Amino acid sequence: FSFIPDRDMAPLDGDARPTGGRRLLFAGFPSDFSLAFLLALLELDVEVVGVLTSPGAHPAILADNALSRIADHIGVPLLRAWRVNDEHTLLDLAGLDLDAAVMASFDQIIGARALAVPRQGWMNVHPSALPARRGPEPVYWTIADGDGIAGITMHRAVPKVDAGPVLVQRTLEVAADDTSGTLTRRLSDVGSAALGEAVGRLLAGEAGEPLDLTNSSYAPSVGHRHLDSAPSVATALRMIRAGVPNMPAWTTIDSNVVYVIAAHAGAPGHGQSSLALADGVITLDDVWRQCGCHHNLVACPHLQE
């Protein structure tokens, strides 16, 4: 279950255009996380009248993909906006006569003029318990740093990263074997179930609960981290789980780069590879020769020393 914006989807048949409800825009990517909330939004008693995406996030966004096929299926425009705050995009948004906008995994900050286009503003879906772990990689760092609790927050958007008042927030316990993929799926399930409540509050004009940003933390972008840099076995195992499936950690076997998908603490058996760390050894149970992110290369540009 991935944030990588390259999801394909078979062509869809039939007439699925929703009509008659409050007019909403959806903003996001053709990724599993984003699509989960678009599909949940289509189940609500609202009318999705447009889909907005950001082409700079991935070359697949300029082509036929799951997002474009859903937009075609429900008969609404797909706006590929390099800069959401540009005049031509503001005109496109104004032409949709929007009551509100919902975004999930959208990589642009919405400026004040764009925020004012929908009558009831914009709502962002962020996979952390804000104000903890603002920023682009909350799920990764939740696992990598060993947090016991993860969250998903639906909040009003403001012209600042993950800083607007909260409309709905849900939390769950992080399982000992969670990867970024499994945790993101569970957060998406919890968030999708609460989406109707959050959209209802958004459309009702509720202000939301202000965030205390003095207690906030930030989750920065991350690449394929070098597993050999881990200070302990526990840290290395968390780093591996955090990297699956979007950004697997890497090491070398016989001087060749490999990306580690699964490992366990302890010495290897016959024919298994291992990595020695300061306080012990981990056995590499599953490795990929290519990175598995959207580059899918051996020498990926996201490789970190």
Side-chain angles (χ1 to χ4, degrees):
F1 202 85
S2 174
F3 282 92
I4 298 172
D6 61 356
R7 293 292 166 232
D8 198 2
M9 177 178 282
L12 303 170
D13 297 320
D15 182 8
R17 182 179 174 85
T19 59
R22 303 286 292 275
R23 298 173 63 85
L24 267 69
L25 173 81
F26 177 81
F29 298 137
S31 68
D32 290 332
F33 178 80
S34 195
L35 290 169
F37 287 94
L38 172 56
L39 296 175
L41 190 64
L42 291 169
E43 294 292 328
L44 302 181
D45 186 22
V46 297
E47 182 177 358
V48 176
V49 297
V51 176
L52 174 70
T53 193
S54 179
H58 194 280
I61 292 175
L62 290 171
D64 186 36
N65 57 55
L67 203 62
S68 66
R69 293 179 188 179
I70 291 172
D72 287 346
H73 185 56
I74 62 176
V76 303
L78 173 64
L79 308 179
R80 292 181 168 100
W82 292 93
R83 296 176 183 86
V84 69
N85 300 303
D86 279 0
E87 290 296 331
H88 69 278
T89 304
L90 294 175
L91 289 171
D92 288 339
L93 294 175
L96 295 175
D97 188 29
L98 298 170
D99 287 302
V102 173
M103 54 182 169
S105 193
F106 188 70
D107 71 337
Q108 299 184 44
I109 295 176
I110 314 299
R113 292 180 63 200
L115 287 172
V117 172
R119 283 176 282 275
Q120 298 297 341
W122 295 61
M123 184 179 78
N124 182 48
V125 182
H126 183 74
S128 82
L130 292 175
R133 303 212 180 278
R134 300 164 59 216
E137 298 286 353
V139 176
Y140 180 95
W141 292 108
T142 292
I143 292 177
D145 289 347
D147 292 1
I149 299 295
I152 192 155
T153 305
M154 283 155 272
H155 66 96
R156 285 192 171 274
V158 296
K160 191 173 182 179
V161 174
D162 306 323
V166 173
L167 294 168
V168 170
Q169 185 174 96
R170 297 286 187 269
T171 60
L172 51 77
E173 292 186 2
V174 180
D177 60 350
D178 262 329
T179 66
S180 283
T182 61
L183 182 55
T184 301
R185 179 183 289 276
R186 294 200 293 125
L187 289 171
S188 297
D189 288 343
V190 170
S192 294
L195 185 65
E197 178 183 350
V199 169
R201 291 180 177 177
L202 178 69
L203 291 172
E206 293 188 22
E209 184 69 24
L211 287 171
D212 180 3
L213 298 183
T214 61
N215 295 319
S216 70
S217 57
Y218 189 77
S221 296
V222 66
H224 300 287
R225 296 172 70 195
H226 193 188
L227 199 55
D228 300 47
S229 68
S232 67
V233 166
T235 303
L237 294 177
R238 291 198 306 268
M239 190 186 299
I240 292 167
R241 291 190 293 109
V244 177
N246 299 317
M247 283 287 170
W250 69 280
T251 187
T252 56
I253 297 177
D254 298 329
S255 300
N256 296 312
V257 170
V258 296
Y259 298 88
V260 183
I261 306 305
H264 68 271
H270 178 70
Q272 291 182 300
S273 297
S274 63
L275 178 64
L277 296 163
D279 63 345
V281 175
I282 63 172
T283 294
L284 309 183
D285 298 318
D286 188 12
V287 299
W288 291 347
R289 298 294 172 176
Q290 292 179 291
C291 61
C293 77
H294 59 271
H295 292 289
N296 204 29
L297 302 171
V298 175
C300 178
H302 295 307
L303 208 68
Q304 295 182 349
E305 291 297 336

